[in-house]
Amino acid sequence: MEIVPLESAEQVAVLAADVIETVVRRRPGAVLGLATGSTPLPTYRELVRRHEAGLAPSYDGVRCFTLDEYVGLPAGHPESYRATIARELTDALGIGADRVHGPDPTPDGLPMAGERYEAALEAAGGVDVQVLGIGGDAHLAFNEPGSSLGSRTRMKTLTEQTRRDNARFFDSVDDVPRHVLTQGLGTILRARHLLLLATGPGKAAALAAAVEGPLTASCPASVLQLHPHVTVLADASAAGALARRAHYREVYDAKPEWQGL
């Protein structure tokens, strides 16, 4: 795990965009794993800015898989994660809807939705780089504390705290669905490169617990400690509780340029 303390959310976005573009340049048919929520938005906007400026690689062969999806929203709802990721990123990059995949929340197919998504990920050859955020309680995707560290894609019930956190995207908390389909922690670990973004003081305690604390299902993001290629990009406030923050920065500053992230 490489932890890179940065000064601002803008620096996080620029470096995260560099990582993603490096993967796409190296592998034109790359499979990107995309997270939703507030934290990745600056990164997505940076990718779109570069694309519109003619500075980006081609996304013509890229496929995308989302981490999760609400259950119970009407088809085409603007806050569904398929609609959100299209609006915030993939449409602007020219990645067609047929190359953007998410768990299927259709009511009749729910019992086997997790298995179908696992099969789709496997058929695509796995995710090359998975963008992640971290919740204030250290959840990854919608794997709340107590989730199995080996879990696969499945339906989960959202905690009231998570529903309140997500209410900012809806008219009220009552409109936030109670259930989601989410990749499991074991599913996330199968991606070849995990790119965790953390910004803001509300993520500081969770980030410190995840990367410096014990491996435990009570801190779902601690499962990242098991992966061989994790990059954590954190702004100053999110990195504020890291006991070894100065060491992480020293190591990053001393890296030879050829190593990359």
Side-chain angles (χ1 to χ4, degrees):
M1 183 185 297
E2 181 172 13
I3 302 162
V4 184
L6 300 163
E7 289 304 312
S8 67
E10 291 75 18
Q11 290 181 357
V12 169
V14 168
L15 198 51
D18 289 346
V19 170
I20 293 167
E21 287 190 342
T22 296
V23 171
V24 174
R25 285 192 172 94
R26 186 173 64 241
R27 186 179 179 192
V31 177
L32 304 181
L34 302 176
T36 50
S38 300
T39 301
L41 287 180
T43 297
Y44 297 159
R45 290 168 186 154
E46 176 65 11
L47 289 170
V48 171
R49 183 194 69 78
R50 297 179 188 186
H51 178 72
E52 292 177 344
L55 304 173
S58 170
Y59 290 90
D60 289 349
V62 169
R63 291 166 292 168
C64 301
F65 284 80
T66 62
L67 275 174
D68 35 40
E69 185 56 272
Y70 285 119
V71 171
L73 291 181
H77 191 286
E79 294 306 327
S80 72
Y81 288 141
R82 285 290 295 273
T84 299
I85 211 67
R87 182 173 64 246
E88 301 292 349
L89 183 65
T90 55
D91 280 358
L93 296 182
I95 302 173
D98 61 321
R99 290 185 281 128
V100 182
H101 309 280
D104 180 9
T106 305
D108 291 346
L110 275 179
M112 296 297 292
E115 287 84 349
R116 291 198 307 276
Y117 203 50
E118 291 285 326
L121 285 162
E122 183 175 354
V127 172
D128 290 297
V129 59
Q130 174 65 61
V131 178
L132 296 167
I134 184 171
D137 60 358
H139 69 253
L140 283 185
F142 279 117
N143 296 283
E144 303 281 3
S147 294
S148 165
L149 299 181
S151 54
R152 297 291 187 257
T153 305
R154 68 226 186 275
M155 192 169 83
K156 293 286 286 181
T157 299
L158 297 183
T159 66
E160 285 307 306
Q161 181 59 55
T162 296
R163 292 182 70 232
R164 287 195 294 271
D165 290 345
N166 287 6
R168 66 189 185 278
F169 301 113
F170 293 83
D171 291 335
S172 75
V173 68
D174 294 333
D175 295 322
V176 181
R178 293 186 177 276
H179 297 98
V180 292
L181 287 164
T182 183
Q183 287 188 32
L185 296 173
T187 309
I188 291 168
L189 286 180
R190 292 206 305 271
R192 285 177 274 279
H193 184 183
L194 302 180
L195 179 62
L196 178 69
L197 314 179
T199 57
K203 305 300 177 68
L207 182 63
V211 304
E212 295 183 337
L215 177 65
T216 169
S218 296
C219 178
S222 67
V223 77
L224 299 177
Q225 297 177 32
L226 296 174
H227 196 279
H229 189 187
V230 181
T231 303
V232 178
L233 306 180
D235 71 0
S237 55
L242 295 174
R244 295 187 291 277
R245 177 180 174 182
H247 169 71
Y248 302 140
R249 184 67 208 199
E250 180 182 7
V251 169
Y252 176 69
D253 288 341
K255 285 184 66 171
E257 187 174 343
W258 57 263
Q259 272 193 322
L261 285 172

